């Protein structure tokens, strides 16, 4: 999988009253460091917010995944990227400060009426959500996201979709990190007005793979593949 250079494509990080214009320049063929501690000068910048959904599921799972991913993004790009993720509830107005929200866990998700209304506004104003099934999330997520985006079904993405080629090339789609139910992984999208607003990685567990290697004892190639796919998701979200 070869890293690619994306030059000179500006994007508005999130416009809900903000005027943040960032130019994305990713470094081709950059080595992928294994430690978040390798990056210094954390600063403030674009980050990812983990969604604190209600319902009883462990929304806080994979605690080292996002810090590791943010560190890799900062080391490879000229983006002003933070090393620490945020956490935000679906009904919180603060959600509009984050261009990307991340959802994971093993159990039940529930969105109430206020959550549904706020999340719909989030998507309408340009927000992007990455949902990564951590085994057990699937039936609850499918039911709840249908309340937020009725009439916008999950569709399986072809292997030539931009999300699999935004920085690294994944010619066969999502990498398989953990077995779970066996069989291949699946990448799904939900579109709103022609823009993909939700990416759902299922039957792979990218988040587990992005965690510190000692957490799951994953071999180096799995850890690397997961981080590279995470980089792809973020690059896609910020440039489309």
């Amino acid at each position: 999988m070869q890293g690619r250079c994306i030059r000179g494509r500006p994007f508005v990080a999130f416009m809900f009253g903000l005027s943040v214009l960032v130019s994305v320049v990713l470094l081709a063929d950059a080595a992928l460091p294994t430690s978040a501690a390798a990056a210094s000068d954390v600063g403030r910048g674009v980050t990812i917010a983990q969604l604190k959904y209600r319902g009883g599921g462990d929304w806080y799972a994979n605690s080292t995944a996002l810090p590791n991913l943010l560190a890799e993004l900062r080391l490879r790009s000229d983006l002003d990227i933070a090393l620490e993720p945020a956490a935000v509830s679906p009904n919180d107005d603060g959600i509009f400060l984050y261009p990307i929200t991340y959802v994971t866990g093993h159990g039940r998700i529930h969105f109430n009426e206020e959550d549904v209304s706020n999340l719909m506004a989030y998507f309408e104003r340009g927000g992007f959500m990455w949902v990564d099934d951590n085994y057990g999330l699937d039936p609850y997520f499918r039911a709840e996201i249908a309340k937020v985006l009725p009439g916008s079904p999950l569709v399986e993405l072809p292997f030539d979709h931009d999300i699999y080629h935004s920085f690294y090339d994944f010619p066969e789609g999502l990498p398989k990190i953990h077995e779970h139910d066996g069989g291949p992984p699946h990448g799904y999208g939900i579109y709103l007005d022609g823009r993909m607003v939700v990416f759902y990685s299922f039957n792979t567990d990218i988040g587990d793979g992005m965690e510190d290697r000692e957490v799951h004892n994953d071999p180096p190639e799995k850890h690397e593949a997961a981080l590279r796919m995470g980089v792809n998701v973020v690059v896609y979200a910020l440039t489309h």
Side-chain angles (χ1 to χ4, degrees):
M1 273 174 275
Q2 196 80 358
R4 66 180 57 201
C5 211
I6 301 174
R7 298 191 178 277
R9 182 166 187 176
F11 71 93
V12 178
F14 224 29
M15 282 288 86
F16 316 118
L18 301 176
S19 53
V20 182
L21 189 64
V22 186
S23 175
V24 180
V25 181
L26 295 177
L27 306 178
D29 303 322
L32 195 64
T34 57
S35 171
S40 57
D41 185 26
V42 175
R44 302 174 65 184
V46 177
T47 195
I48 302 169
Q50 195 149 346
L51 196 70
K52 300 195 299 183
Y53 55 82
R54 63 191 92 223
D58 53 340
W59 65 266
Y60 45 82
N62 296 343
S63 62
T64 62
L66 291 185
N68 285 344
L69 175 58
L70 291 171
E72 305 312 331
L73 286 160
R74 186 174 175 88
L75 287 168
R76 296 159 173 290
S77 74
D78 70 347
L79 278 171
D80 182 14
I81 214 101
L83 285 184
E84 292 302 320
V88 67
S89 299
N91 64 346
D92 188 339
D93 284 345
I95 198 171
F96 298 108
L97 298 175
Y98 304 107
I100 305 172
T101 50
Y102 175 73
V103 181
T104 192
H106 298 84
R108 183 172 179 264
I109 294 179
H110 174 68
F111 296 144
N112 66 19
E113 219 171 281
E114 190 179 6
D115 298 336
V116 167
S117 175
N118 211 44
L119 286 172
M120 172 57 95
Y122 174 74
F123 293 131
E124 287 175 341
R125 298 183 195 182
F128 181 92
M129 178 180 287
W130 175 17
V131 183
D132 186 47
D133 176 42
N134 203 353
Y135 200 60
L137 192 77
D138 183 66
Y140 306 107
F141 162 67
R142 288 176 184 266
E144 295 304 294
I145 201 66
K147 290 159 50 175
V148 180
L149 295 164
S152 299
L154 280 162
V155 295
E156 187 147 18
L157 303 177
F159 293 164
D160 62 355
H161 191 277
D162 283 353
I163 203 163
Y164 299 129
H165 307 279
S166 60
F167 185 69
Y168 290 107
D169 282 319
F170 286 87
E172 297 179 353
L174 284 169
K176 181 77 169 178
I177 305 302
H178 288 171
E179 276 306 306
H180 287 183
D181 287 324
H186 298 274
Y188 300 98
I190 298 178
Y191 289 82
L192 183 65
D193 297 329
R195 182 178 68 91
M196 191 166 77
V197 296
V198 176
F199 176 63
Y200 179 36
S201 45
F202 172 66
N203 199 29
T204 173
D205 211 335
I206 301 297
D208 272 7
M210 293 193 304
E211 288 219 81
D212 292 345
R213 279 186 51 207
E214 59 269 23
V215 175
H216 298 285
N217 247 352
D218 286 327
E221 61 271 16
K222 294 287 188 183
H223 181 64
E224 173 114 339
L227 282 169
R228 288 184 174 196
M229 189 63 224
V231 168
N232 271 31
V233 174
V234 173
V235 170
Y236 175 87
L238 296 180
T239 58
H240 283 75

